[in-house]
Amino acid sequence: QVQLVQSGAEVKKPGASVTVSCKTSGYTFTSYYMHWVRQAPGQGLEWMGIINPSGGSTTYAQKFLGRVTMTRDTSTSTVYMELSSLRSEDTAMYYCARQSTVGGGTFDHWGQGTLVIVSS
Amino acid sequence: DIQMTQSPSTLSASVGDRVTITCRASQSISSWLAWYQQKPGKAPKLLIYKASSLESGVPSRFSGSESGTEFTLTISSLQPDDFATYYCQQYISYSFTFGQGTKLEI
C-alpha cells in the first residue's frame, strides 16, 4: 500500500534552517508529483510547493520563494523540503502529499506530518 | 491568487442530520475543486475531487455540487465519524489555495 513516512519533529532557533524528509513506498516514485502543505497550530492549510520526482523540477508558492527548496532522491524514493531563515511564524505541521492522477491537482495520500517549532 | 471562502466556519449538528458546507471561489475555477476531511492530529483525507466526483472508498453519504463559482459539500445523514473539520481546495492554478475550514461539531 502507498505510504509516505516523514521525519520526526524538529525544534529550531529563529534564523536557522530545517529539512523535512518524506520517504515513499508502495508505488512508482517517479510517476506522481509531490506537494508540501503546512498547517500552523489551530489554523488552515497552506500550500508551499510541488516537485516532480521524475526530473526534479519545482514550483514554489510566491510566499516561500527564496526560502524553500524541494529536492528528491530517486534511489531512496524520498523527497525533501528545506525551509531557511526560520521565524516564529513558521511553527507548523508540515505535510508531504502525493498528487492524484485521477483527481488532477488533488492530494490522495499524505504523510503523517512533521511538527517544526521555531523558538528562541 | 484565487481566494476560497468557506461558510460557515463552525457548524453544530446531530447524528442523522443533513448538512451543507459552502465554498466560494474569487474567480472561475471551472470544476477544479476538492473537499477534504481532517480530524484532530491527523492529515487531511480527500473526499471529493472535480467538484462532484467521490474519491474511492469514501461513503456515498458525501456528495459535492457546483453552481458557477459556488461549491457545496453535502453529508446526507451525519454519522459520529463525520465530526471533523472540512476544507475546500482549488487546483486550477499553481497556488492550490484552501478555504479556511469548517468545523463540524455536535
Side-chain angles (χ1 to χ4, degrees), chain B residues 51-104:
Chain B
S52 60
S53 296
L54 198 65
E55 174 71 352
S56 176
V58 174
S60 59
R61 62 181 181 273
F62 292 92
S63 64
S65 63
E66 63 177 297
S67 177
T69 59
E70 184 168 296
F71 299 84
T72 299
L73 172 70
T74 299
I75 309 173
S76 60
S77 179
L78 272 176
Q79 299 302 302
D81 191 49
D82 300 338
F83 291 94
T85 300
Y86 293 84
Y87 294 94
C88 63
Q89 175 226 340
Q90 66 81 14
Y91 54 102
I92 193 171
S93 70
Y94 265 83
S95 58
F96 294 93
T97 44
F98 292 87
Q100 74 274 29
T102 295
K103 184 176 182 180
L104 180 53

Side-chain angles (χ1 to χ4, degrees), chain A residues 35 99-100 103-107, chain B residues 32 34 36 89-91 96:
Chain A
H35 299 251
Q99 180 169 315
S100 169
T106 60
F107 312 136
Chain B
W32 303 115
Y36 296 85
Q89 175 226 340
Q90 66 81 14
Y91 54 102
F96 294 93

Side-chain angles (χ1 to χ4, degrees), chain A residues 3-81:
Chain A
Q3 285 194 305
L4 282 61
V5 179
Q6 297 183 221
S7 49
E10 302 264 12
V11 179
K12 295 292 183 180
K13 293 191 182 303
S17 297
V18 67
T19 298
V20 179
S21 67
C22 172
K23 183 172 177 58
T24 72
S25 61
Y27 71 97
T28 302
F29 176 69
T30 52
S31 295
Y32 293 79
Y33 293 170
M34 192 70 77
H35 299 251
W36 289 90
V37 175
R38 77 176 186 179
Q39 186 171 37
Q43 301 301 308
L45 301 164
E46 182 174 36
W47 180 76
M48 299 181 69
I50 177 176
I51 181 167
N52 178 352
S54 179
S57 61
T58 55
T59 300
Y60 303 134
Q62 183 77 21
K63 176 177 179 177
F64 300 102
L65 283 176
R67 284 211 303 144
V68 71
T69 303
M70 297 176 187
T71 57
R72 93 292 190 216
D73 182 344
T74 55
S75 68
T76 60
S77 300
T78 302
V79 294
Y80 299 90
M81 188 281 299

